[in-house]
Amino acid sequence: MNYTTPPFEVSFKGLLFDMDGTIIDSTAAVVKHWHTVGKEIGVDPEVILQTSHGRRSIDMLKVLSPEKANWEYVRHMEGLLPKLHGADAVEIPGARPLLEALIAAGARWTIVTSGTVPLVTGWLDVLKLPRPAHLVTAESVAEGKPDPACYALGREKLDLGAADSPEILVLEDSPAGIRAGKAAGCKVLGLVTSHTAAQVVAAEPDWVVRDLRSVSMVRCADGVVTLRISDALASVASASGISEK
């Protein structure tokens, strides 16, 4: 697959970021943690890891270990992850400069994640990344991704209405999250950080890039932020109306 699309600009009223695989990469930490938790609850960790990315832990536990599927256990379990394995998480390339530019310009953005509050705030603190004014977390909605409720709530957190959805950009790496963003009526930028390009493309995002080094803020005026996207996957960009020159 060719990431050869020339730079192009797109404008949005707000940005909704997934967390793991979009802002940070905690894969190594998650693998270690699920191995520990799997042994604790009597479930093969490999079974958990095959389907856990982009989904809420409580939804996984409802299937694999129903007696543990409660918020008290999930929040405690996830809260331990950054404390025990903080050194194993890294930033997704390009995430920090993009967030810092958005904050400096006063652009509307927030994080919409399948993680709980202790997990998300723990990672942001460990990596010293900026925290938005409002978070949408696993506890915020009744159904997790690919259900669109989380991104609809994220839109509300930005004081935007349903009619604004086509002018909101969701940044996601997991197929479940990409489908949630599309179902919410938003534009979606897929990142190839945790899944194969084929898996990301199959979820039908509007554009696909390798990571956030391909995204930069050009300007923010009158509540609209303009981004420059470069080195996007050519086939997807072409289908979205962006052509190679």
Side-chain angles (χ1 to χ4, degrees):
M1 294 190 176
N2 298 316
Y3 296 88
T4 55
T5 304
F8 58 94
E9 294 184 4
V10 280
S11 297
F12 301 98
K13 292 182 178 179
L15 278 67
L16 300 175
F17 289 81
D18 172 52
M19 181 72 173
D20 204 353
T22 301
I23 295 176
I24 71 164
D25 179 1
S26 68
T27 302
V30 168
V31 169
K32 290 180 180 178
H33 196 59
W34 275 123
H35 272 82
T36 300
V37 173
K39 292 176 182 177
E40 176 185 317
I41 64 177
V43 177
D44 183 350
E46 294 304 322
V47 172
I48 300 173
L49 290 167
Q50 286 171 9
T51 56
S52 63
H53 192 85
R55 297 180 64 193
R56 300 187 305 173
S57 295
I58 198 163
D59 294 329
M60 297 291 297
L61 291 170
K62 285 176 182 177
V63 176
L64 299 174
S65 184
E67 69 279 5
K68 295 291 188 182
N70 62 81
W71 286 119
E72 181 180 4
Y73 175 77
V74 172
R75 287 169 60 89
H76 171 72
M77 178 264 289
E78 289 195 352
L80 290 174
L81 212 165
K83 296 176 182 177
L84 298 177
H85 305 292
D88 293 309
V90 296
E91 300 171 19
I92 292 294
R96 185 182 296 272
L98 177 58
L99 293 177
E100 290 178 344
L102 293 172
I103 292 168
R108 285 179 285 205
W109 72 283
T110 196
I111 293 172
V112 178
T113 176
S114 296
T116 58
V117 171
L119 178 65
V120 179
T121 56
W123 281 133
L124 293 175
D125 290 345
V126 165
L127 293 171
K128 295 180 172 57
L129 285 163
R131 189 184 300 189
H134 306 286
L135 287 169
V136 177
T137 64
E139 305 99 318
S140 304
V141 292
E143 299 292 335
K145 302 172 185 178
D147 189 278
C150 58
Y151 281 116
L153 181 57
R155 181 191 67 222
E156 293 175 16
K157 296 287 188 182
L158 300 184
D159 293 324
L160 296 171
D164 297 309
S165 295
E167 296 180 82
I168 296 171
L169 180 66
V170 166
L171 299 93
E172 265 280 3
D173 68 298
S174 75
I178 292 168
R179 292 188 180 100
K182 293 299 293 182
C186 303
K187 295 293 186 182
V188 179
L189 177 70
L191 278 66
V192 184
T193 55
S194 63
H195 292 73
T196 66
Q199 289 172 318
V200 171
V201 170
E204 301 185 341
D206 296 278
W207 305 283
V208 174
V209 296
R210 282 171 286 208
D211 57 44
L212 290 179
R213 287 176 292 187
S214 291
V215 185
S216 59
M217 194 193 77
V218 178
R219 60 186 170 273
C220 181
D222 299 322
V224 176
V225 59
T226 299
L227 304 176
R228 178 178 289 113
I229 300 175
S230 58
D231 299 322
L233 191 60
S235 58
V236 178
S238 178
S240 296
I242 305 297
S243 60
E244 286 194 81
K245 298 179 181 178

